[in-house]
Amino acid sequence: PGTLVQAHLQLQSGCENAIWQKRQRRSRLQNLQFRGMDLYVLLDVSISMTGENARSAGAMAVCLIEGIDRAIQLASHDQRQGSVDIRTQLLAFGEGWAELTPLELAHAYERRRYAFNQVNNPTSEQTLITAALRQVQIRAVAEPARDVVCLVVSDGLFADGLQARKCAMGLPPNVYLTHINIGEFNGLPLTSNFETIQDPALLPEKLHLVLARQLDRRTDSPDAARRA
């Protein structure tokens, strides 16, 4: 997106125009062979996220799935490209967990807007993530041939931190788990693939970093374990 502010305005106004803009991109190897990929974004909806943290996290997540949706559409019209099998899903966690979007190849605009509104209005009084991580674990175990990227976005410690860390360590090797924290974090991260930022507007930059890191890992060692 041009800016997260533009994404906020569009999603809140109900404007259906695509929020992605053309940008120059660094070329990458085009011969990576995907067996299918699932990308999960787990979003903190505890009350502490209220305000800019929630708005930025929601906009980043919706921009991500819209960008992937559009890339799949473009690839489907290019005879030089094979089929693109990348499914995405947004999950919320707080006192419990909830599916904000289904695990699908494409998402309707209304569903994306619903997800943004849910993240933008956090109400949970606790931050529990283990149950959401287990949903990713169950699906990854059920389809071991698929690559899985799981991105967690939160703004502090987890009330179930030790349990969540244990669950993260038990994820199967086809899962690449990464954690982006907004603000201070004085506990044990879920994974060594951990980034912290003070300004939530930097979320897109960190997202690009962790996804590029995953592609680099696949280039260097496609069969290597994708979690810490």
Side-chain angles (χ1 to χ4, degrees):
T3 67
L4 284 179
V5 173
Q6 293 173 351
H8 297 167
L9 291 174
Q10 179 177 312
L11 289 163
Q12 290 175 331
S13 67
C15 177
E16 195 169 352
N17 292 331
I19 55 182
W20 282 75
Q21 300 176 2
K22 289 184 177 180
R23 283 179 176 266
Q24 287 189 346
R25 304 178 185 188
R26 182 163 61 94
S27 62
R28 290 188 169 274
L29 293 176
Q30 299 298 311
N31 60 352
L32 284 177
Q33 296 299 313
F34 288 94
R35 301 164 293 180
M37 175 179 286
D38 293 335
L39 174 57
Y40 298 92
V41 183
L42 278 54
L43 298 157
D44 185 351
V45 291
S46 59
I47 291 175
S48 63
M49 286 284 287
T50 300
E52 189 61 28
N53 288 357
R55 287 192 293 272
S56 295
M60 179 211 68
V62 172
C63 286
L64 173 63
I65 62 173
E66 177 173 310
I68 292 175
D69 288 355
R70 289 175 63 81
I72 291 173
Q73 291 174 8
L74 290 173
S76 68
H77 297 299
D78 188 344
Q79 296 181 351
R80 296 169 299 177
Q81 297 281 348
S83 60
V84 179
D85 182 9
I86 302 177
R87 303 184 302 195
T88 56
Q89 183 173 38
L90 305 183
L91 300 175
F93 65 90
E95 295 177 32
W97 71 279
E99 292 186 350
L100 300 178
T101 64
L103 180 63
E104 292 182 344
L105 293 171
H107 302 275
Y109 170 77
E110 287 302 324
R111 193 69 193 190
R112 298 196 303 267
R113 190 178 180 198
Y114 165 80
F116 174 79
N117 289 336
Q118 292 298 306
V119 176
N120 196 29
N121 294 281
T123 58
S124 292
E125 296 184 358
Q126 288 186 295
T127 309
L128 305 170
I129 191 173
T130 304
L133 281 175
R134 283 181 176 155
Q135 299 306 309
V136 176
Q137 181 182 42
I138 290 169
R139 293 169 182 171
V141 169
E143 298 184 272
R146 296 184 70 84
D147 292 306
V148 176
V149 175
C150 179
L151 169 64
V152 175
V153 180
S154 62
D155 72 340
L157 299 177
F158 305 110
D160 57 347
L162 291 178
Q163 187 179 11
R165 175 70 177 179
K166 183 177 180 180
C167 182
M169 292 178 66
L171 292 172
N174 59 320
V175 179
Y176 178 74
L177 174 65
T178 187
H179 178 193
I180 300 178
N181 182 77
I182 305 169
E184 299 297 326
F185 190 89
N186 298 316
L188 184 65
L190 295 173
T191 170
S192 60
N193 302 314
F194 174 75
E195 300 285 343
T196 187
I197 57 175
Q198 298 301 319
D199 183 356
L202 296 176
L203 277 171
E205 178 181 328
K206 289 298 182 181
L207 173 66
H208 178 270
L209 175 66
V210 298
L211 293 179
R213 186 181 298 154
Q214 164 64 352
L215 287 177
D216 289 340
R217 286 166 66 93
R218 295 188 80 258
T219 302
D220 295 338
S221 180
D223 296 321
R226 294 171 177 80
R227 62 171 178 83

